[in-house]
């Protein structure tokens, strides 16, 4: 969406795209772009990839769900997580040349992804479950109709109950899958955008001149 490229991030991507042009790189004699450092790539370089399979790492980076738990139970789980966190540091600091900051960075990055999934993907799973258990696409019950009509409540089209049920279900599954792989999709999108062998073309898309580019990785 061109509108999303008008932020500081979008301007940065535009600048980096232009810097990848051959004549610009020759003039600067260096590249502004380098591969994104992921946890997997970092641990591969350190020859420490087996760390990702350590159950302690999972325990140290998991999200503590609060729903349906008492305060004492939550505190107990948080303490177990903290102990696991410290044990991972004790176990891996110095291994493969990793510093304490390196180990903390690995755990922090994994934890960030876990929290992203918890607060973005998991709500889609909950909504899918609500839709499955509380609505029947074949039966339009009073008070449970999903039907919409053009011009009513801001609707721009008309759908019967069953059609809208399928539409909502497909939409939730689509967003659930996108959010599940969100960081990988972002990573691949940037690889496409900044590939020096995959330049953009300026085209009028109906929203003014915009950069059009192939996206083989996506």
């Amino acid at each position: 969406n061109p509108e999303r490229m008008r932020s500081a991030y979008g301007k940065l991507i535009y600048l980096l795209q232009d810097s990848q042009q051959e004549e610009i790189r020759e003039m600067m004699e260096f590249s502004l772009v380098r591969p994104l450092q992921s946890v997997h790539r970092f641990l591969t370089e350190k020859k420490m990839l087996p760390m990702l399979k350590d159950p302690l790492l999972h325990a140290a980076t998991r999200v503590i769900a609060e729903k349906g738990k008492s305060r004492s139970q939550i505190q107990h789980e948080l303490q177990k997580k903290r102990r696991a966190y410290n044990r991972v540091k004790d176990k891996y600091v110095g291994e493969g040349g990793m510093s304490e900051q390196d180990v903390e960075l690995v755990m922090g990055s994994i934890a960030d992804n876990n929290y992203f999934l918890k607060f973005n993907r998991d709500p889609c799973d909950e909504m899918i479950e609500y839709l499955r258990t509380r609505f029947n696409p074949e039966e339009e019950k009073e008070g449970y109709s999903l039907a919409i009509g053009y011009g009513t409540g801001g609707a721009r089209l008309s759908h019967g109950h069953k059609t809208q049920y399928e539409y909502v279900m497909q939409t939730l599954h689509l967003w659930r899958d996108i959010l599940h792989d969100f960081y990988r999709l972002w990573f691949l999108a940037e690889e496409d955008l900044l590939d020096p062998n995959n330049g953009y073309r300026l085209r009028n898309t109906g929203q003014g001149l915009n950069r059009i580019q192939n996206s083989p990785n996506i």
Side-chain angles (χ1 to χ4, degrees):
N1 188 336
E3 178 67 27
R4 300 300 181 186
M5 296 301 286
R6 293 173 185 161
S7 64
Y9 171 76
K11 293 173 183 176
L12 172 64
I13 291 296
Y14 284 161
L15 185 150
L16 293 176
Q17 279 183 303
D18 289 339
S19 77
Q20 288 293 80
Q21 295 178 29
E22 185 177 358
E23 58 270 26
I24 301 297
R25 284 187 291 132
E26 288 178 356
M27 183 177 66
M28 294 193 302
E29 298 183 349
F30 70 93
S31 174
L32 293 175
V33 177
R34 67 176 185 177
L36 186 67
Q37 184 72 295
S38 65
V39 169
H40 189 278
R41 180 172 288 167
F42 176 76
L43 292 178
T44 298
E45 292 172 355
K46 296 286 187 180
K47 295 181 172 58
M48 291 295 296
L49 211 51
M51 179 181 176
L52 291 176
K53 297 182 179 180
D54 192 332
L56 272 177
L57 185 63
H58 170 72
T61 57
R62 72 186 187 94
V63 177
I64 304 299
E66 299 181 0
K67 189 175 181 179
K69 297 177 182 176
S70 65
R71 183 179 294 274
S72 60
Q73 186 177 359
I74 294 170
Q75 287 300 320
H76 176 68
E77 292 186 20
L78 286 172
Q79 289 171 4
K80 285 180 63 177
K81 181 178 178 179
R82 173 56 62 179
R83 286 196 296 270
Y85 184 90
N86 290 330
R87 287 177 64 190
V88 169
K89 287 206 298 184
D90 293 340
K91 184 176 182 179
Y92 289 105
V93 169
E95 294 291 323
M98 289 202 297
S99 65
E100 181 177 354
Q101 184 179 8
D102 290 335
V103 177
E104 289 179 344
L105 182 62
V106 167
M107 289 194 286
S109 295
I110 294 173
D112 283 348
N113 183 66
N114 290 341
Y115 275 95
F116 175 85
L117 294 176
K118 170 66 178 175
F119 293 106
N120 293 277
R121 180 202 62 190
D122 289 4
C124 290
D125 287 331
E126 290 184 28
M127 291 299 295
I128 289 169
E129 186 62 21
Y130 287 147
L131 193 60
R132 281 177 175 159
T133 57
R134 303 189 182 192
F135 297 88
N136 183 346
E138 304 297 336
E139 185 179 355
E140 187 175 351
K141 294 182 180 179
E142 184 178 353
Y144 286 85
S145 174
L146 296 175
I148 59 174
Y150 180 85
T152 303
R156 304 301 298 272
L157 72 166
S158 296
H159 276 173
H161 171 76
K162 182 178 180 179
T163 301
Q164 184 66 5
Y165 177 96
E166 297 296 341
Y167 177 81
V168 172
M169 183 66 80
Q170 289 174 4
T171 301
L172 287 171
H173 274 290
L174 172 63
W175 278 108
R176 190 262 177 213
D177 290 345
I178 289 173
L179 290 166
H180 179 74
D181 271 335
F182 187 79
Y183 286 119
R184 187 166 71 95
L185 292 170
W186 190 354
F187 175 88
L188 293 174
E190 283 194 357
E191 282 196 340
D192 284 335
L193 287 167
L194 303 178
D195 182 353
N197 299 315
N198 180 36
Y200 65 84
R201 304 173 301 282
L202 280 176
R203 294 289 185 272
N204 190 331
T205 62
Q207 295 175 296
L209 283 175
N210 288 288
R211 302 182 182 201
I212 305 299
Q213 199 168 2
N214 294 327
S215 52
N217 288 317
I218 291 292

